[in-house]
Amino acid sequence: AKEVMRPKILIVDDDLSIIKFVKANLEANNYETCSASDGEKALDVIVQELPTLVLLDIMMPTIDGYEVCQRLREWSQIPVIMLSALCDEQDKVKCLNLGADDYLCKPFGLDELLARIQAVLRRSDVAVAKPAKPVLISDDLEINFAERRVTVSGREIGFTLTEYTLLQELAQNSPKVLTYQLLLRRVWGPEYADERHYLYVYIRRLRKKIERDSQNPSHLISIRDVGYRLK
């Protein structure tokens, strides 16, 4: 029988006891793991190992998690879950703005960690699922679902996994309005239905990429107090 590829997860933390704890539990749940104890090493390991997902601590020596995430996003769309003892909304929004897919507060329980990992990996399944219509064209925006390519005025645009999944969800339901809760449930998962700041950050990111003027969007329309639609 052909062996099923197990997702490989890179754990980046300067606290070795956390690496040990997370590694043991992920491996017990059928994930492969690799690890790094600082930001510089993490970037090297990502290049060598090409993990499926990165668990990235923020407070680390040499370069911190914010900078690792920023540098990684310059060339890679590998999903990133940030880990931090800083848990206010500003920190979450900062991480999401840098391109992180999710944010987990320390100390965290194993069930919550596994749920977050599964939610992010579920997004990658959604992103490769066969959509109902192969291509959507709206003015200067073209989305080719079969090839996962998005072009604006003929120029190809790069997206993170979460950005693409959100855009695909809106595009597949265009021109219907999708509520905040529905988008959060479908893109992030049922446990995110109230995390509206995730949506605000990612809609802003999408607008920067697909709109001529992100302050006056012509594609991605807000329906006040309800949700969004793709025109």
Side-chain angles (χ1 to χ4, degrees):
K2 189 166 169 264
E3 195 189 340
V4 178
M5 289 287 287
R6 293 185 299 159
K8 185 189 288 184
I9 297 179
L10 169 61
I11 308 152
V12 186
D13 203 305
D14 61 331
D15 183 338
L16 296 179
S17 63
I18 288 183
I19 289 185
K20 223 167 152 181
F21 164 76
V22 174
K23 200 176 167 65
N25 283 293
L26 289 181
E27 286 174 359
N29 281 277
N30 212 27
Y31 292 103
E32 255 186 74
T33 65
C34 46
S35 62
S37 54
D38 67 54
E40 292 282 8
K41 283 195 196 105
L43 289 165
D44 290 342
V45 174
I46 290 166
V47 173
Q48 289 158 16
E49 299 281 345
L50 294 174
T52 318
L53 181 145
V54 180
L55 294 175
L56 180 59
D57 185 39
I58 292 178
M59 310 307 266
M60 287 185 298
T62 69
I63 61 173
D64 64 18
Y66 295 128
E67 195 178 331
V68 173
C69 188
Q70 200 168 10
R71 284 205 212 167
L72 182 60
R73 282 294 171 255
E74 286 165 13
W75 58 271
S76 171
Q77 309 304 345
I78 291 172
V80 174
I81 299 177
M82 304 291 266
L83 307 174
S84 178
L86 308 167
C87 280
D88 62 31
E89 200 160 302
Q90 270 177 316
D91 291 300
K92 290 185 182 181
V93 168
K94 182 176 180 179
C95 290
L96 296 172
N97 276 329
L98 289 171
D101 296 83
D102 204 350
Y103 185 105
L104 190 55
C105 292
K106 287 178 169 180
F108 49 80
L110 179 63
D111 288 347
E112 189 181 10
L113 175 66
L114 291 170
R116 296 287 170 123
I117 290 170
Q118 281 155 10
V120 172
L121 295 179
R122 191 167 59 231
R123 253 169 268 169
S124 53
D125 291 340
V126 170
V128 296
K130 235 179 171 35
K133 40 192 169 190
V135 178
L136 178 132
I137 299 170
S138 167
D139 192 17
D140 60 340
L141 172 69
E142 181 174 323
I143 306 170
N144 184 321
F145 298 106
E147 295 173 13
R148 276 194 67 182
R149 278 182 55 205
V150 181
T151 54
V152 175
S153 302
R155 188 170 61 92
E156 190 166 343
I157 309 291
F159 289 90
T160 67
L161 179 63
T162 304
E163 288 167 354
Y164 181 80
T165 311
L166 177 57
L167 182 63
Q168 178 174 296
E169 195 60 54
L170 286 156
Q172 287 299 319
N173 291 283
S174 170
K176 284 195 298 205
V177 177
L178 299 184
T179 64
Y180 303 127
Q181 284 84 357
L182 184 72
L183 281 167
L184 284 161
R185 276 204 304 270
R186 285 197 184 161
V187 177
W188 280 271
E191 58 277 25
Y192 295 83
D194 299 322
E195 303 268 4
R196 213 178 275 189
H197 56 278
Y198 278 67
L199 203 48
Y200 296 153
V201 170
Y202 271 87
I203 291 288
R204 201 161 59 236
R205 291 170 68 90
L206 284 183
R207 282 181 172 150
K208 279 188 180 152
K209 292 187 174 188
I210 68 171
E211 301 285 1
R212 286 195 187 101
D213 176 0
S214 61
Q215 298 303 310
N216 297 292
S218 60
H219 296 303
L220 198 39
I221 309 300
S222 294
I223 309 301
R224 199 177 162 174
D225 298 330
V226 180
Y228 299 95
R229 71 186 181 93
L230 193 71
K231 214 158 89 173

